[in-house]
Amino acid sequence: GAAPPMLEAEALTVAYGKVEAVRGVSLRVEAGRLITVLGANGAGKTTLLNALMGILPARGRIRFEGRDLARLPVEARVEAGLSLIPERRELFSSMSVEDNLRLGAFRFRGGRGAGGDLAEMFALFPRLKERRRQLAGTLSGGERQMLAMARALMGRPRLLMLDEPSLGLAPLIVAEVMRTVAALRDQGVAILLVEQNARAALRIADYGYVLDGGAVVLEGPSAALQSDARVVETYLGVL
Ligand code: ATP
């Protein structure tokens, strides 16, 4: 049969007190693929990412490249090759673009020199090169998202998880961010892309899951989801 997936989560459940925000979610990310998780506000998308990263405790199983991650702390998951870019992007506002990138290599791999290099990131994100001395806090929303991606890549993750990278961005900038995410996939980084913007995400994803009330209610190849009446009605609207 097929090779086992890079990441496999099975029956993940996350509760805040008595309320289950993620309920029995199973998903897979194959190496080199771009998988999207769609859902409305409060569907449980951020909670799911936090559970995969080890930021929140979860019940269920998480395997990454054959290893059982479920009991490992965040740092060990980072070491294993996972990286999460949170919705808030969490840059160091009063530091320059370049220094944010340097810290990415430091912070994500314990400063052992295994990180990506600046030249590589500036080739991938020419805008950041132009603005290398600018303070991160003065960047536009799209530039901030690009910097967050570049900083994560400095840690050379094998799986990059993005929480709503389109949030707060104008449509043209969303398209630019999505093109960049697709380019990363094409370079071999596996991607788990959480989005409310189903249209933009399905355009670049290979496969998608739809979360509702913390559970997966629908999954399939992007093309199938794009033409699924329920997805069109609920998440894509009338063209
Ligand atoms: P959004 O798109 O708005 O970010 P989401 O799909 O990421 O939404 P989550 O943030 O994962 O959804 O939230 C899922 C559910 O869990 C929501 O009902 C939310 O109110 C609840 N929730 C999230 N964080 C907490 C918390 N710290 N304590 C209690 N409930 C929480």
Side-chain angles (χ1 to χ4, degrees):
M6 177 182 242
L7 176 79
E8 184 165 33
E10 274 185 285
L12 279 193
T13 294
V14 186
Y16 297 109
K18 283 185 179 152
V19 181
E20 290 182 345
V22 167
R23 299 187 289 126
V25 168
S26 295
L27 64 81
R28 298 155 157 255
V29 181
E30 284 84 13
R33 302 254 279 168
L34 200 173
I35 307 302
T36 187
V37 174
L38 308 172
N41 276 314
K45 304 182 300 297
T46 299
T47 303
L48 173 63
L49 287 185
N50 285 337
L52 291 172
M53 199 66 217
I55 294 163
L56 283 174
R59 283 184 279 136
R61 288 168 297 283
I62 306 171
R63 293 185 72 76
F64 182 70
E65 297 188 325
R67 291 176 63 192
D68 183 0
L69 288 192
R71 290 170 192 286
L72 297 184
V74 178
E75 301 73 40
R77 298 187 201 204
V78 171
E79 280 294 319
L82 268 66
S83 183
L84 168 63
I85 303 178
E87 201 174 279
R88 293 170 187 283
R89 293 154 202 176
E90 290 175 4
L91 301 167
F92 297 98
S93 307
S94 57
M95 290 174 55
S96 71
V97 164
E98 196 170 315
D99 286 343
N100 268 276
L101 290 175
R102 287 188 207 288
L103 272 174
F106 182 77
R107 188 178 121 177
F108 287 93
R109 280 292 163 91
R112 276 192 265 108
D117 59 49
L118 286 174
E120 204 183 323
M121 292 312 143
F122 289 150
L124 203 51
F125 303 95
R127 284 283 283 238
L128 296 181
K129 185 176 185 181
E130 289 166 25
R131 291 163 191 280
R132 60 198 292 171
R133 314 240 178 264
Q134 192 172 325
L135 298 185
T138 65
L139 295 174
S140 72
E143 289 162 355
R144 289 174 62 81
Q145 185 59 47
M146 295 293 184
L147 178 54
M149 280 193 267
R151 193 182 58 173
L153 291 170
M154 290 291 282
R156 294 205 185 284
R158 307 193 26 79
L159 171 65
L160 185 61
M161 302 191 281
L162 297 113
D163 194 354
E164 292 195 40
S166 78
L167 195 75
L169 304 182
L172 275 177
I173 312 300
V174 170
E176 195 183 334
V177 167
M178 291 297 165
R179 269 198 301 278
T180 308
V181 173
L184 296 178
R185 180 263 321 272
D186 296 342
Q187 291 182 14
V189 185
I191 312 267
L192 185 60
L193 169 66
V194 155
E195 264 299 339
Q196 266 194 67
N197 188 336
R199 193 181 303 278
L202 287 174
R203 234 175 242 144
I204 58 167
D206 301 302
Y207 193 92
Y209 295 85
V210 179
L211 268 193
D212 193 358
V216 174
V217 292
L218 200 61
E219 64 173 274
S222 295
L225 291 181
Q226 277 171 318
S227 57
D228 185 289
R230 287 162 293 180
V231 175
V232 172
E233 209 176 295
T234 314
Y235 302 101
L236 301 181
V238 180
L239 283 169

